Amino acid sequence: MRLLVVEDDKNLREQLASALGDAGYTVDTADNGEDGQFLGETEPYDLAILDLGLPKVDGLSVLKAWRKEGRTMPVLILSARDRWSEKVEGLDLGANDYVTKPFHMAELLARVRANVRRTTDHQSAVLEVGDLRLNAATGQVTVNGAPVKLTAYQYKVLDYLMHHAGRIVSRAELTEKIYSQDHERDSNTIEVFIGILRRKIGTDRIITEKGLGYRLINPAEQQ
């Protein structure tokens, strides 16, 4: 599952990214409404956590723009504002949930799980690239129907590559997306994960674009 966190408070943003990453989600972040709006309009997210008091573009305007563009991912509003009028306005604009600061991280994670679960009840949680399948609801990966056992980090790398199948993903981008904010990052381990994934899912599925990164393909389409 891929989530977007739009929050201008650096400490809170990093805490959210770390907690969500530890819970198994792939997390993108933005520290202002302009960048958050762009990411929400151009990338496929399973849920967005959106602060209201954002620089450049406020959270309600971001939410309104997303819904106008047809973006249907669940949006959980996170704000220090607790006036009922603002909660009602946010919900009327298409928010799915509302959490007021300060909050307990365990509650927020439970809200995230509940909103994602409601969405996946109605949408396919399966990613497919040829006969390679990843079921985000169960965590199962198969190749031509045969199960593939992956560690948590191997799964995160494959999930991100499958979400961006066909395009080049740099090593730095993968490093940024799979590690928690407080984790010691080592981009060299990405090469190790890629090598292991190739052995497990097939050596011809992940192409190395020299000096640029990696690209996940369907080998059958290259013949």
Side-chain angles (χ1 to χ4, degrees):
M1 292 290 172
R2 190 176 176 202
L3 309 186
L4 172 64
V5 174
V6 189
E7 167 62 58
D8 64 323
D9 184 297
K10 183 176 184 292
N11 289 334
L12 179 55
R13 186 173 64 253
E14 292 181 350
Q15 289 171 16
L16 287 167
S18 178
L20 292 166
D22 290 343
Y25 300 104
T26 299
V27 184
D28 291 346
T29 64
D31 61 5
N32 65 80
E34 185 176 275
D35 291 344
Q37 181 178 325
F38 176 77
L39 286 171
E41 290 176 350
T42 57
E43 297 289 340
Y45 292 107
D46 297 288
L47 179 139
I49 296 175
L50 178 66
D51 185 30
L52 290 187
L54 295 167
K56 296 188 178 181
V57 181
D58 69 89
L60 289 178
S61 296
V62 171
L63 174 59
K64 186 175 181 179
W66 283 345
R67 294 313 190 215
K68 185 177 180 181
E69 288 294 318
R71 306 300 289 176
T72 60
M73 71 280 193
V75 175
L76 188 157
I77 287 179
L78 186 63
S79 179
R81 308 173 186 176
D82 59 358
R83 292 201 297 268
W84 278 104
S85 59
E86 290 180 326
K87 291 184 179 181
V88 170
E89 184 178 4
L91 295 170
D92 283 345
L93 286 173
N96 300 80
D97 207 344
Y98 201 114
V99 175
T100 302
K101 303 173 186 176
F103 59 89
H104 292 288
M105 191 64 73
E107 178 190 357
L108 182 117
L109 291 173
R111 298 281 190 98
V112 168
R113 289 193 298 270
N115 280 282
V116 169
R117 185 166 56 246
R118 282 195 290 269
T119 302
T120 55
D121 283 344
H122 303 286
Q123 297 179 355
S124 173
V126 177
L127 296 173
E128 295 184 352
V129 180
D131 61 3
L132 173 64
R133 292 166 56 92
L134 184 151
N135 189 320
T138 64
Q140 185 180 42
V141 175
T142 61
V143 174
N144 197 23
V148 177
K149 187 175 182 180
L150 301 176
T151 66
Y153 280 116
Q154 293 163 17
Y155 180 92
K156 286 183 178 182
V157 171
L158 181 61
D159 177 76
Y160 196 78
L161 288 174
M162 290 187 73
H163 269 101
H164 298 83
R167 85 161 176 85
I168 298 173
V169 178
S170 71
R171 192 188 336 177
E173 184 178 351
L174 278 171
T175 302
E176 177 73 23
K177 301 309 178 188
I178 72 168
Y179 286 120
S180 302
Q181 294 290 330
D182 58 352
H183 194 287
E184 183 178 349
R185 302 179 181 189
D186 180 2
S187 62
N188 290 326
T189 59
I190 296 296
E191 293 183 7
V192 176
F193 292 145
I194 293 294
I196 294 172
L197 283 173
R198 282 176 172 145
R199 291 196 295 273
K200 291 184 175 184
I201 68 174
T203 57
D204 55 350
R205 296 178 189 273
I206 303 176
I207 304 295
T208 297
E209 302 289 356
K210 192 172 181 179
L212 299 174
Y214 306 99
R215 185 161 55 92
L216 183 74
I217 64 167
N218 176 8
E221 295 180 350
Q222 308 301 310
Q223 298 174 358

